[in-house]
Amino acid sequence: FGWYERQRLANIERNKNKLAELGIMSMSMTMSAKAASAAPTPKKAPIKRKAEGEALPRRASLRVKGFAPDGSEALRVRKQEEEQMQKDIEERLRVNGTLSLPEYFSDELKDDKDNQQRIAQVLNVEAKALPASKFAESDGRSKLMKSLTELTVPAWGTGKLVKDRIFSVAMHPRSDRFVGVAGDKWGKIGVWDCGSVGRNVQEEGPDQLPRAIFAAFKRPVSQLSFGRLDNRKLYASSYDGSIRCVDVGSEAIHDTWVLSEEDDARVQGFKELSSGVMWACDHHGQVHRIDPRESHGDSKPKKSIFTLHEKKISSIDFHCDDYTMVTCSLDQTVALWDCRKLKKTGSQNLASRSFGRAMQSAFFSPKCDRMVAQNADDSLYLFNFQGTPSSLKDFKTIRHDNRTGRWVTNFKTVWDPKRNNMFMVGSMSNPRGFDTFDADSATHLTKLTHPLVTAIPALVAPHPTLNAIFTGNASGRVVLFRQAKY
């Protein structure tokens, strides 16, 4: 080693000796041993920070925004925005009382008097006695398939009827013409005159449908149905808490039943009985009985309200006896009731059954010996009854995709009123179309599709007597499936 290294080592040795004399070296060794044997300090959990809120708009001076230095222009723009907001709110408020039909036609058709008159004439025809169906109820699967394969979409059989998403569809029961109606998201009801039964399916149609649109409501039209006692009248229910009657004979839209302004109940559906009494259901889990026979003079019909479910009732229907009622609800149950024994609260049902997810619809077959219920768990439940329904134990399960999502109207499984053994529902699969089922075997019959059907036909409405089916989708378009030759 060099002299410098020898000097460094000598200094280290001298320092060690000095520390040993003072006892510092032993203390250092003891402390190191204790530190090594001590338990490790637990780590603190990370502090959860709240997610930052929505970013505020970037501040900018009046000069950058293009306003005058005194801010007068900014105040004017703000006032205009507030006025527009208030105007939008007022436009969505329900208009009570009898409405004049000509005044409530849509703006683009308000001046077309000829079209208004023609549509009024189309609706103002009563199908007095529904002709006997040419399809016997005992038709087997092969005959059902034959009648379905005869259906086609004419060249003129599709088009845009209403502006927004369709929430309800129906067909007029007259047997000489095809007339379809559809209700949309913002209360508009469109009427489409599809032409006579003998119209050639190869005939080219006009660019725009021969239609009429009138604003009966300001909220979604939840159900459409032609009158059971007088099918010249079109009944419609809405999320604004009312049921109205479109009477083209008197050129008016009448209030059949209206909730108070303080009540925000949405009417989900209704059923008119042979006696003229009407029952409706809402999203509070209540059913309402409206009897127009109990009104006197200018007084409103008597109403009775019964709470049957904890959550929204999706649909209501009646057995052929006119007193056995079926309801299905968002609380995952389907239930049978004797409407003669209902109480305002605490009513006892005849039978009830709970399923995995929310119930979406439940309807009796034309002869009322069957019932099909639709559930959000991708299932259709087919019930069979012997006599008056009193139990929900006998049923079969049919798998079907019912998850429509946010932008497609919920499906509703409906019966063909001409046949006691066939029901149908929209389809989510490609190609676009709707599914039909055989109730005798609880199996899928076929899926009706056509190249002109380019979107999901969420809602279907079979004609009461003719071999025709009317459908509507989320873009306001309608499609008519009809028999090619009559």
Side-chain angles (χ1 to χ4, degrees), residues 332-353:
Q332 305 178 1
T333 61
V334 57
L336 296 171
W337 311 84
D338 187 337
C339 67
R340 301 168 299 181
K341 301 178 181 179
L342 295 182
K343 303 176 183 178
K344 289 187 176 181
T345 58
S347 299
Q348 184 65 38
N349 57 52
L350 299 174
S352 177
R353 193 170 192 93

Side-chain angles (χ1 to χ4, degrees), residues 92 184-187 217-221 238-240 266:
R92 299 303 177 198
D184 76 358
K185 182 178 180 179
W186 295 117
F217 304 97
K218 302 293 183 69
R219 302 291 301 280
V221 184
S238 172
Y239 283 9
D240 69 1
R266 302 175 181 175

Side-chain angles (χ1 to χ4, degrees), residues 13 19 62 72 95-96 112 138 140 154 171 190 242 249 322 349 382 414:
E13 187 65 26
L19 292 173
L62 292 176
S72 57
V95 180
N96 293 324
D112 190 353
S138 58
M171 288 198 79
S242 67
D322 273 6
N349 57 52
L382 180 62
V414 297

Side-chain angles (χ1 to χ4, degrees), residues 94-106:
R94 183 177 62 219
V95 180
N96 293 324
T98 301
L99 311 179
S100 173
L101 188 57
E103 294 180 7
Y104 281 83
F105 276 98
S106 61

